[in-house]
Amino acid sequence: MNFTKISALILFQILLLHSLSQASEILYDIYPFIRVYKNGTIQRFIGQGYAPPSTDPTNKVHSKDIKLSRNLNLSARIYLPRYPISPHKLPLLIYFHGGGFFTESAFSPTYHNYLNSLVAKARVIAVSVNYRLAPEYPLPIAYEDSWLALKWTFSHFKGNGNEPWLKKYADFGHVYLGGDSAGGNLAHQMAIRIGLENPDPGIELSGMFLNCPFFLGKKAIGNESENAYAEALLEKLWLYAYPNSSGLDDPLVNPGMDPSLKNLGCKRVLVYVAGNDLLRFRGRFYKQELEKSGWNGKAKVVEVKGEDHVFNLAKPKSSKAVEMLKMLAYFLNS
Ligand SMILES: *[C@@H]1O[C@H](CO)[C@@H](O)[C@H](O)[C@H]1NC(C)=O
Ligand SMILES: *[C@@H]1O[C@H](CO)[C@@H](O)[C@H](O)[C@H]1NC(C)=O
Ligand SMILES: *[C@@H]1O[C@H](CO)[C@@H](O)[C@H](O)[C@H]1NC(C)=O
Ligand SMILES: *[C@@H]1O[C@H](CO)[C@@H](O)[C@H](O)[C@H]1NC(C)=O
């Protein structure tokens, strides 16, 4: 064995030991969402950017941040399209961002840009909820935060409340929920809760859209078992975000196990699924289960072929994303 070979071997062993010691310091790893070390260090790999509220230079959508609870550090970003004219009111959208319950925020460039384009195109007033994230705030905290934000928004019905944009411009006869991925799960749960305990029975939801919603189940459906790696990642997200859940068949993540499904407090549901996304099977299953439950409403699934999970956020200028934005704008105005 010559010198080069020996040093290569030593180097290899050092690297191996290093990666083993790194691995032994990791509590769990759900890359690219999150890596949590035993010493308490948390690394997030996506969704960490910050975009300030603004008047968008291109579409002139205005936005501002509102603290909903100082104790809970719960906030929301509100969006208003250009040239709102009181007393003409605008449909109201309450939006829940995605990110696997672990990453992203209502203030990240991805969601700030997305809400700006949606609000400009649909001419709605939007409340984008900045719920708190796991693992610092494990589920069900995000559900409770979302519910507080929804109740706060509803408290502006009939000119009440303190937020002038909502008082002046929100049409509580046209309220919509929306969300993508984990945010789709949150939106769905909010609609269930409205069906069970509407904080203001004078308000009815006009519709809800879910983009690649995050649902799971113990029993594989469709082709889920063919992609064990991606399926395991999705399952890890849920199990680590909600250590106290009852598992993959918890009604909060498997609508098929939810005895309250028929109570969904919304009569029109639009579900987007992406043709290359493993979650597409759950999006279709969601519609089936809604229909089976005896729910009194209409659900529609749109599949966008050849695209991946939340492709419209990753590639907002692509023709399919532009088409989807147009469809959503139409949905929010019909
Ligand atoms: C925790 O462990 C990781 C990985 O070894 C290290 O990068 C980080 O600096 C440590 N943090 C603290 C607070 O010790
Ligand atoms: C409060 O929330 C904001 C926005 O998510 C975050 O940047 C900030 O660090 C939080 N503050 C505390 C004290 O947790
Ligand atoms: C499931 O997988 C099979 C073979 O891998 C494929 O032919 C089929 O189109 C897939 N079904 C769906 C709904 O994607
Ligand atoms: C899980 O539930 C137990 C018992 O109800 C409770 O003591 C604990 O704080 C919960 N853990 C989390 C992370 O919520």
Coordinates of all heavy atoms in Angstrom, one line a residue, residues 26-31 33-34 100-102 214 216 229-243 248:
I26 N -28.0 13.8 16.1 CA -29.3 14.3 15.6 C -30.4 13.5 16.2 O -30.4 12.3 16.4 CB -29.3 14.0 14.0 CG1 -28.3 14.9 13.4 CG2 -30.7 14.2 13.5 CD1 -28.1 14.6 11.9
L27 N -31.4 14.3 16.7 CA -32.6 13.7 17.3 C -33.5 13.2 16.2 O -34.0 12.0 16.2 CB -33.3 14.7 18.1 CG -34.5 14.3 19.0 CD1 -34.0 13.2 20.0 CD2 -35.1 15.5 19.8
Y28 N -33.8 14.0 15.2 CA -34.5 13.6 14.0 C -34.2 14.5 12.9 O -33.9 15.7 13.1 CB -36.0 13.4 14.2 CG -36.8 14.7 14.7 CD1 -37.3 15.5 13.7 CD2 -37.0 14.9 16.0 CE1 -38.1 16.6 14.1 CE2 -37.7 16.1 16.4 CZ -38.2 16.9 15.5 OH -38.9 18.0 15.9
D29 N -34.4 14.0 11.6 CA -34.0 14.7 10.5 C -35.1 14.6 9.4 O -35.4 13.5 9.0 CB -32.7 14.1 9.9 CG -32.0 15.0 8.9 OD1 -32.6 16.0 8.4 OD2 -30.9 14.6 8.5
I30 N -35.7 15.7 9.1 CA -36.8 15.6 8.0 C -36.3 16.7 7.0 O -37.0 17.7 6.8 CB -38.2 15.9 8.6 CG1 -38.4 15.3 9.9 CG2 -39.2 15.4 7.6 CD1 -39.8 15.6 10.5
Y31 N -35.2 16.4 6.3 CA -34.7 17.2 5.3 C -35.6 17.3 4.1 O -36.1 16.3 3.7 CB -33.3 16.7 4.9 CG -32.5 17.7 4.1 CD1 -31.8 18.8 4.6 CD2 -32.6 17.6 2.7 CE1 -31.2 19.7 3.8 CE2 -32.0 18.5 1.9 CZ -31.3 19.5 2.4 OH -30.6 20.4 1.6
F33 N -37.0 20.0 5.4 CA -37.8 20.9 6.3 C -37.0 21.2 7.5 O -36.8 22.4 7.8 CB -39.1 20.1 6.7 CG -40.0 20.0 5.5 CD1 -40.0 18.8 4.7 CD2 -40.9 21.0 5.2 CE1 -40.8 18.7 3.6 CE2 -41.8 20.8 4.1 CZ -41.7 19.7 3.3
I34 N -36.6 20.2 8.3 CA -36.0 20.5 9.6 C -35.1 19.4 10.0 O -35.2 18.3 9.7 CB -37.2 20.7 10.6 CG1 -36.6 21.3 11.9 CG2 -37.9 19.4 10.9 CD1 -37.7 22.0 12.7
G100 N -45.2 22.1 5.8 CA -45.1 20.9 6.6 C -45.3 21.1 8.1 O -44.9 20.3 8.9
F101 N -45.9 22.2 8.5 CA -46.1 22.6 9.9 C -44.8 23.0 10.6 O -44.8 23.4 11.8 CB -46.7 21.4 10.8 CG -48.0 20.9 10.3 CD1 -48.2 19.7 9.7 CD2 -49.2 21.7 10.4 CE1 -49.4 19.2 9.2 CE2 -50.4 21.3 9.9 CZ -50.5 20.0 9.3
F102 N -43.7 22.9 9.9 CA -42.3 23.2 10.5 C -41.7 24.4 10.0 O -40.8 24.9 10.6 CB -41.4 22.0 10.3 CG -41.6 20.8 11.2 CD1 -42.2 19.7 10.7 CD2 -41.1 20.8 12.5 CE1 -42.4 18.6 11.5 CE2 -41.3 19.7 13.3 CZ -42.0 18.6 12.8
F214 N -52.4 18.5 2.7 CA -51.6 17.5 3.5 C -52.6 16.6 4.3 O -53.1 17.0 5.3 CB -50.6 18.2 4.4 CG -49.7 17.3 5.2 CD1 -48.5 17.0 4.7 CD2 -50.2 16.7 6.4 CE1 -47.6 16.2 5.5 CE2 -49.3 15.9 7.1 CZ -48.1 15.6 6.7
L216 N -53.1 12.3 5.4 CA -52.4 11.0 5.4 C -53.4 9.9 5.8 O -54.6 10.2 6.0 CB -51.2 11.0 6.3 CG -50.1 11.9 6.0 CD1 -49.1 12.0 7.2 CD2 -49.3 11.5 4.8
Y229 N -40.0 6.3 0.1 CA -39.1 7.4 0.6 C -40.0 8.6 0.9 O -40.0 9.2 2.0 CB -38.0 7.7 -0.3 CG -37.1 8.8 0.3 CD1 -36.2 8.6 1.3 CD2 -37.3 10.1 -0.2 CE1 -35.4 9.6 1.8 CE2 -36.6 11.2 0.3 CZ -35.6 10.9 1.3 OH -34.9 12.0 1.9
A230 N -40.7 9.1 -0.2 CA -41.5 10.3 0.0 C -42.6 10.1 1.0 O -43.0 11.0 1.8 CB -42.1 10.7 -1.4
E231 N -43.2 8.9 1.0 CA -44.3 8.6 2.0 C -43.8 8.6 3.4 O -44.4 9.2 4.3 CB -44.9 7.2 1.6 CG -46.2 6.9 2.3 CD -47.3 7.9 2.0 OE1 -47.3 8.5 0.9 OE2 -48.1 8.1 2.8
A232 N -42.6 8.1 3.6 CA -42.0 8.1 5.0 C -41.7 9.5 5.4 O -41.9 9.9 6.6 CB -40.7 7.3 5.0
L233 N -41.3 10.4 4.5 CA -41.0 11.8 4.8 C -42.3 12.5 5.3 O -42.4 13.2 6.3 CB -40.4 12.5 3.6 CG -40.0 13.9 3.9 CD1 -38.5 14.1 3.6 CD2 -40.7 14.9 3.1
L234 N -43.4 12.3 4.5 CA -44.7 12.9 4.8 C -45.2 12.4 6.2 O -45.6 13.2 7.0 CB -45.8 12.5 3.8 CG -45.6 13.1 2.4 CD1 -46.5 12.5 1.4 CD2 -45.7 14.6 2.4
E235 N -45.0 11.1 6.5 CA -45.5 10.6 7.8 C -44.6 11.1 8.9 O -45.2 11.4 10.0 CB -45.4 9.0 7.7 CG -46.4 8.5 6.7 CD -46.3 6.9 6.6 OE1 -45.5 6.3 7.3 OE2 -47.1 6.4 5.8
K236 N -43.3 11.3 8.7 CA -42.5 11.8 9.7 C -42.9 13.3 10.1 O -42.9 13.7 11.2 CB -41.0 11.9 9.2 CG -40.2 10.7 9.8 CD -38.9 10.6 9.0 CE -37.7 11.0 9.8 NZ -36.4 10.8 9.1
L237 N -43.2 14.0 9.0 CA -43.7 15.4 9.3 C -44.8 15.4 10.3 O -44.8 16.1 11.3 CB -44.1 16.1 8.0 CG -43.0 16.6 7.1 CD1 -43.6 17.0 5.7 CD2 -42.2 17.7 7.7
W238 N -45.8 14.6 10.0 CA -47.0 14.6 10.9 C -46.6 14.1 12.3 O -47.0 14.7 13.3 CB -48.1 13.7 10.3 CG -49.3 13.6 11.2 CD1 -49.6 12.5 11.9 CD2 -50.2 14.6 11.5 NE1 -50.7 12.7 12.7 CE2 -51.1 14.0 12.4 CE3 -50.4 15.9 11.1 CZ2 -52.2 14.7 13.0 CZ3 -51.4 16.6 11.7 CH2 -52.3 16.0 12.6
L239 N -45.9 13.0 12.4 CA -45.6 12.3 13.7 C -44.7 13.2 14.5 O -44.9 13.2 15.8 CB -45.0 11.0 13.5 CG -46.0 10.0 12.7 CD1 -45.2 8.7 12.4 CD2 -47.2 9.7 13.6
Y240 N -43.8 14.0 13.9 CA -43.0 14.8 14.7 C -43.6 16.2 15.0 O -43.3 16.8 16.0 CB -41.6 15.0 14.1 CG -40.7 13.8 14.3 CD1 -40.4 12.9 13.3 CD2 -40.1 13.6 15.6 CE1 -39.6 11.8 13.5 CE2 -39.3 12.5 15.8 CZ -39.0 11.6 14.8 OH -38.2 10.5 15.0
A241 N -44.5 16.6 14.1 CA -45.1 17.9 14.3 C -46.2 17.8 15.4 O -46.5 18.7 16.1 CB -45.8 18.4 13.0
Y242 N -46.7 16.5 15.5 CA -47.8 16.3 16.5 C -47.5 15.0 17.3 O -48.2 14.0 17.1 CB -49.1 16.2 15.7 CG -50.4 16.3 16.6 CD1 -51.6 16.4 16.0 CD2 -50.3 16.4 18.0 CE1 -52.8 16.6 16.7 CE2 -51.5 16.6 18.7 CZ -52.7 16.7 18.1 OH -53.8 16.8 18.8
P243 N -46.5 15.1 18.2 CA -46.1 13.9 18.9 C -47.3 13.3 19.7 O -47.3 12.1 20.0 CB -45.0 14.4 19.9 CG -44.6 15.7 19.4 CD -45.8 16.3 18.6
L248 N -51.3 8.1 12.2 CA -51.6 8.4 10.9 C -53.1 8.4 10.6 O -53.5 8.9 9.5 CB -50.8 7.5 9.9 CG -49.3 7.5 10.0 CD1 -48.7 6.5 9.1 CD2 -48.8 8.9 9.7

